[in-house]
Every structure is written in C-alpha cells, then in structure tokens.
Amino acid sequence: MALPPQQSLANLVQRFNELPSTRKLALLVSLAAAIALFVGLLIWAKTPEYRVLFSNLAERDGGAVIASLQQMNVPYKMAEGGTAILVPADQVYDLRFKLAAQGLPKGGAVGFELMDTARLGMTQFQEHVAYQRALEGELARSIQSLSPVESARVHLAIPKPSVFIRDKQSPSASVLVNLHPGRALDAAQVSAIVHLVSSSVPELTPASVTVVDQAGNLLTARAGALAPQGLNASQLDYLREVEAYYARRVEAIVAPIVGEGNVKAEVRADLDFSESEFTSESYKPNPAPDAQSVRSRQSREETSRDGAAAGVPGALSNQPPGPAAAPLAAPAGAANGAPGPGGAQSSRREDTVNYELDKTIRHVRESLGRVKRLSVAVVVNYRKQAGDQPAKPLAPEELQQVSALVREAMGYSQERGDTVNVVNAAFSEIRPEAAEVPIWKDPENVAFAKELLKNLLVFGLAFYLVFGVLRPLLRDLLKPVPQAAPAAEMPAEAALSAFEARMEELSRKGYEDQLREIRDFAKQNPKAAADIIKEWMAKE
C-alpha cells in the first residue's frame, strides 16, 4: 500500500533523523557526490570539441585574432604555449573565412604600415632598414596569397649605391615558402614568385632570386643548370609537349576506326637544341652572251685630222677662218667628211660592256628544337563483338590502314630515320576499383561514434546513480516507522514483548548499536522500561 506524499516525506525526515551521525554524513556525501557527478557529466556532454583554428601565430596576430573572437562571443582556448588557438570544431571553417575577410592572420610579417610609425630623429640607416623590412613583409603577404603556400619569408640583399661603376653590385633575394601538407608548387607558380619579387625591387633580375621550401628543396633552377639528359627545364618541358602533341595526333586519327579508348600511342622524339648559323656565296659558270644581263655600258669615239699650214706666217695667218660658204659643187669626198687634198684624218672608237655575275648568297639560321627523329609505338585493341562473343584481332588490311594513318599523322620521314611500330593486342579489362574508406576511418562516422559514446556514457552513469545509489537509499528511508504506543497506555506485558522483540532484532547488531537502541527505547517508554527492570528484579 503506497503512502501519501506527505506521509512519505515525514517518514523520510524521521528516518534520517534516527540515523547515526556517521551514516548521516556518509549519506549526505554520497548524495552530493552523485549530484556533482551527474552535473559534471551533463556539462561534459554539452562541452563542444575544440580544434585548432590557427597555429604558429605571432604575438601580434594572436592578439588580433583573440580580440576578434571576443567581439564575436566565440569561446576559445590557448595551446602549444600560446602559439595555437582552439575553437569549437563546428565553427572552425566559418571563423577562418570571417577572420580572413578581416585580413587575419597577417603571418607575422609587417608591411608598409611600419612606415606609419616613423619616429622623430631616425637616421638614414634606420629609415633604409624600415623600408626594407616593409618591402619584405609586403612581398611575403603577396606570396602567401597563393593557395599552396601557408607562410613565406622574403630576404632582400640590397647593396648600397655607389658612384663608381666597378664597385656597383646587383641586388639579390631569397624566398622561403612553407607549403600546406600535401601541396606543391609547380614550375609556373615558382616562376611567378621569382618574377613577382624581381619586379618589386629595382635592378633585381630573375636569375638573382632563389626560392626554397620548408624541406630545403631548391625550387628555382640556376642559370645554365642542366638536367641529367643534358637539357634544362624549359627544354624538357618542350620535349614533353612535342611528344604529347604527336601522341594526340596519332590517337585522334586512329580512334574513329577502332573506337575511343581502344588505341594507345607513345612517341619518343629526338630534338636538336643546338643553335647554328652560316652564310654561303656561290657563283655559276658564265652563260651565253645573249643570256647575260648587261650591268653597265660605256662607248667612246675620237676623230683627228692632220693638214699643212697655209698662208703668210704672221698675225694674219693666226686669224680665225671666216664664215664657211657651201659651194655649189662640192667634191665627191667632201660630203662624207673625207679629208681634202691638203690633209689626213684618223678615228678611234671604244665600247665597254659590263655583264652581271650569277652569284647566290645564302644566310641560314637553324631553329632550336627541330625534330631529328621520331619513334612511334601504337597498341590497338582487339575489335569487340556483339553480345558475349570474344573480341577478334584486326584483319591484316585494317592493320596496314592503321599503320599508314599513323605514318601520315606523325609526318614519317625515312631520311630522318623515323620508326613506326603498330601492334594489335587485347587490352586488359582490369578496372581500378575505387578505394573504399573503412567505416572506422570515415570522419563523419568517427564524429557520430564519439557523440554517441558520450551520450551513452552520460545516460549509463545517470541510470546507475539514480537506480543504483539514490533509489536504495530513498527506499530504506521511506520505510514506514512503527508507531510506538504511549507509555501510559502500553501494558507491561506488551512493553515486555515489544522490548524482547527489539532485543532479538538488536542481537544481530553490534554492541554500540544495541546500547543506542536500548537508550532510545528507554527514553520513549520510561514506564515500560521501569516495569521491565522490576520484573527482572522479581525473577532474581
């Protein structure tokens, strides 16, 4: 029969008051420990998991990030000696985007804001150092904007300007990049970093910029450094592009015949990167006169006449002749310019003709990277049949057609010594299976398992505290307390029988408990205790 709540509470208080002091203290301590443990489990269950937001932070960046987190009311923790900041796991990426929008963290590098705090009385050397630090910081920030780069440091070696040309030195720079795990910089990105730094410093050439990663690997090739094949990086890239170009041409011309994915081509190109230049001049034999070209022509004609002097010597004979008069009847030879009977006439004629020479001048400059020889290997898959029938090899005529197409696509030249090898074989049908991530390694499953175990642990401990600790204590305390009859109404026989029953119950307890029970009974029933003592004395 269940007791009413008021009666149960009264019984609980009465039973608690009847307990010894040691049991009361133990009960209170157990109850307080159970409540504290339960509250602690609830707090632990509600506490979010913390993950690293940023690590290896400088003091300036750490302070700025903490100030921003406090403004956003985001809980955080410090780790790794104050160089790492931890935030709740579900807010890591959101906070990174928000802080990145604010320009945080800056990576510990100071930029041109260093020039805003110029002190009065700074020397020229201090101003130069401050400017160089600001320039290095700005370059480091620009390099950190690349996705594979986590952090960067730039060191500039800028010599002092000199008025003497022989003492003039060129600046140089070195860049140390710390890459994200699993990331790498390709050749284009390294070249971009080199040109970015060289373009920011006057008179700094790209050859004077060195880029090194956190593992000490030199990412920039020295000028003139050659690969093991005797080619530099740009020549190797060009060689790969040429080989890939010819391979694509071969596959593109054969694929429509045998089907997409049924042809594989590999090309080995032998390129000549030597640079040569020559000039030649040649002359051909003289052609026939009528086939020659006249370059220049010069003609000269002279005429002279010898005759005796006539007349009286003196002044009169030296006078110029008078005007000539044509006679009515001239001698026969006068019309042709023949000399008269009194003198002789002579004439000379020179004719010089210069013809063009047949000369050829050739100026030849060989191009770099010209193809010296090509070797092409082609594998063609068997022709697939309809249904489950096995694939069949190509007919000899079809294989010859494929070989002819390959020769045309590659620009086959027997003079160069090109070779072509076309093979018809069955392709392997092994397909790479997608790597399945085990259940216990899946991040989502791991997070769900952690949350589930945490909740189960809290529920199990709470169940044990309630049903294993608190319920037995409350059940013992909530037992109904036997109501003792008043001493005046209880007859001696009833008191004696009740006392004997109590004594029998106490016989199973210790001496101290028995003594305590007897005292309590005597205080509650003084008259019955006196009657029992009298009866004992009468028996004696």
Side-chain angles (χ1 to χ4, degrees):
M1 179 178 182
L3 297 176
Q6 296 180 354
Q7 184 66 28
S8 299
L9 182 60
N11 292 340
L12 178 62
V13 174
Q14 182 178 357
R15 293 297 301 269
F16 181 77
N17 293 330
E18 293 177 357
L19 294 177
S21 301
T22 55
R23 292 194 62 186
K24 289 181 181 179
L25 181 61
L27 181 60
L28 292 176
V29 169
S30 301
L31 185 60
I35 295 175
L37 183 59
F38 183 73
V39 173
L41 289 174
L42 289 179
I43 295 176
W44 174 73
K46 294 182 179 180
T47 301
E49 181 183 358
Y50 281 80
R51 291 185 180 177
V52 177
L53 178 63
F54 296 112
S55 60
N56 298 325
L57 287 175
E59 295 180 357
R60 183 189 300 270
D61 288 341
V65 171
I66 289 176
S68 299
L69 294 177
Q70 290 176 351
Q71 292 178 358
M72 293 184 287
N73 296 324
V74 176
Y76 64 90
K77 293 181 180 180
M78 305 295 296
E80 299 179 6
T83 59
I85 299 178
L86 284 69
V87 296
D90 56 345
Q91 302 182 22
V92 170
Y93 300 104
D94 187 23
L95 291 174
R96 285 180 181 175
F97 285 122
K98 291 181 179 179
L99 293 175
Q102 302 177 12
L104 296 175
K106 298 180 179 180
V110 292
F112 281 111
E113 67 271 9
L114 188 63
M115 309 300 294
D116 298 337
T117 58
R119 298 189 304 270
L120 184 62
M122 290 181 62
T123 63
Q124 185 178 4
F125 175 76
Q126 291 175 339
E127 291 179 354
H128 177 73
V129 172
Y131 172 76
Q132 184 169 338
R133 287 184 57 197
L135 183 58
E136 291 174 351
E138 292 294 338
L139 289 174
R141 290 177 182 176
S142 300
I143 296 173
Q144 289 173 8
S145 61
L146 298 177
S147 57
V149 180
E150 182 178 1
S151 61
R153 294 191 65 183
V154 180
H155 303 279
L156 299 177
I158 303 176
K160 293 182 179 180
S162 176
V163 295
F164 301 101
I165 297 179
R166 63 176 178 269
D167 296 335
K168 186 177 180 181
Q169 298 179 359
S170 301
S172 59
S174 58
V175 181
L176 175 64
V177 292
N178 186 13
L179 304 179
H180 290 286
R183 305 294 298 275
L185 291 174
D186 55 19
Q189 291 173 327
V190 174
S191 179
I193 294 176
V194 170
H195 285 80
L196 172 67
V197 176
S198 63
S199 302
S200 303
V201 180
E203 300 182 0
L204 178 59
T205 60
S208 300
V209 180
T210 303
V211 182
V212 183
D213 62 4
Q214 72 271 22
N217 299 320
L218 181 63
L219 303 181
T220 52
R222 298 281 185 181
L226 298 180
Q229 295 83 358
L231 306 177
N232 56 32
S234 60
Q235 292 174 349
L236 285 175
D237 293 339
Y238 178 72
L239 176 62
R240 297 190 185 98
E241 291 178 1
V242 170
E243 293 176 346
Y245 167 74
Y246 281 105
R248 288 195 301 268
R249 291 186 60 177
V250 170
E251 292 179 356
I253 196 65
V254 179
I257 299 176
V258 298
E260 191 70 27
N262 292 324
V263 57
K264 297 294 181 183
E266 287 293 334
V267 178
R268 170 70 168 83
D270 187 7
L271 305 182
D272 185 8
F273 290 98
S274 60
E275 186 176 3
S276 61
E277 182 177 354
F278 64 91
T279 303
S280 64
E281 184 175 351
S282 61
Y283 296 88
K284 292 183 178 180
N286 294 331
D290 57 350
Q292 292 179 338
S293 299
V294 178
R295 181 178 183 182
S296 64
R297 185 168 187 173
Q298 185 179 2
S299 299
R300 182 180 179 182
E301 184 175 359
E302 295 181 358
T303 304
S304 63
R305 176 180 297 177
D306 295 336
V312 179
L316 293 178
S317 61
N318 293 328
Q319 295 295 326
L328 295 177
N336 297 329
Q345 183 179 1
S346 64
S347 63
R348 185 180 64 179
R349 183 174 182 177
E350 295 180 359
D351 194 0
T352 304
V353 179
N354 295 324
Y355 294 96
E356 290 289 351
L357 299 178
D358 192 357
K359 180 177 67 174
T360 303
I361 299 176
R362 298 181 60 191
H363 182 80
V364 180
R365 184 176 182 180
E366 299 289 347
S367 61
L368 293 176
R370 61 184 181 275
V371 179
K372 295 174 59 178
R373 185 172 180 270
L374 290 177
S375 300
V376 180
V378 182
V379 180
V380 181
N381 190 17
Y382 281 180
R383 188 178 300 279
K384 296 181 179 179
Q385 303 297 322
D388 297 335
Q389 297 180 2
K392 294 183 179 180
L394 299 179
E397 297 79 8
E398 294 177 334
L399 201 58
Q400 291 179 359
Q401 293 178 357
V402 172
S403 180
L405 289 176
V406 171
R407 292 173 182 269
E408 293 295 332
M410 63 174 285
Y412 178 81
S413 175
Q414 188 175 2
E415 291 77 10
R416 286 187 316 203
D418 295 348
T419 59
V420 178
N421 188 7
V422 180
V423 176
N424 185 211
F427 285 6
S428 177
E429 297 295 337
I430 299 177
R431 298 180 180 178
E433 297 181 357
E436 297 182 359
V437 179
I439 298 178
W440 58 87
K441 290 185 179 181
D442 191 357
E444 296 183 358
N445 295 336
V446 172
F448 176 76
K450 288 182 178 179
E451 192 69 21
L452 181 61
L453 290 176
K454 183 187 295 185
N455 295 332
L456 290 177
L457 181 59
V458 172
F459 179 77
L461 291 177
F463 183 84
Y464 174 75
L465 291 176
V466 172
F467 294 96
V469 178
L470 298 180
R471 184 178 180 183
L473 292 176
L474 295 176
R475 183 176 56 190
D476 293 341
L477 294 176
L478 290 176
K479 288 182 179 179
V481 180
Q483 298 292 334
E489 299 178 359
M490 181 178 293
E493 294 79 5
L496 180 59
S497 60
F499 181 74
E500 289 178 352
R502 180 65 61 86
M503 291 299 295
E504 184 179 357
E505 181 181 356
L506 292 177
S507 61
R508 295 188 297 269
K509 298 182 179 180
Y511 175 76
E512 294 293 336
D513 295 338
Q514 294 179 5
L515 184 59
R516 188 180 301 109
E517 292 290 339
I518 294 173
R519 289 176 180 174
D520 294 341
F521 182 80
K523 289 179 180 180
Q524 296 177 3
N525 303 283
K527 185 177 180 181
D531 294 340
I532 293 172
I533 294 174
K534 289 180 180 180
E535 186 176 354
W536 283 352
M537 292 178 66
K539 291 182 179 180
E540 293 294 335

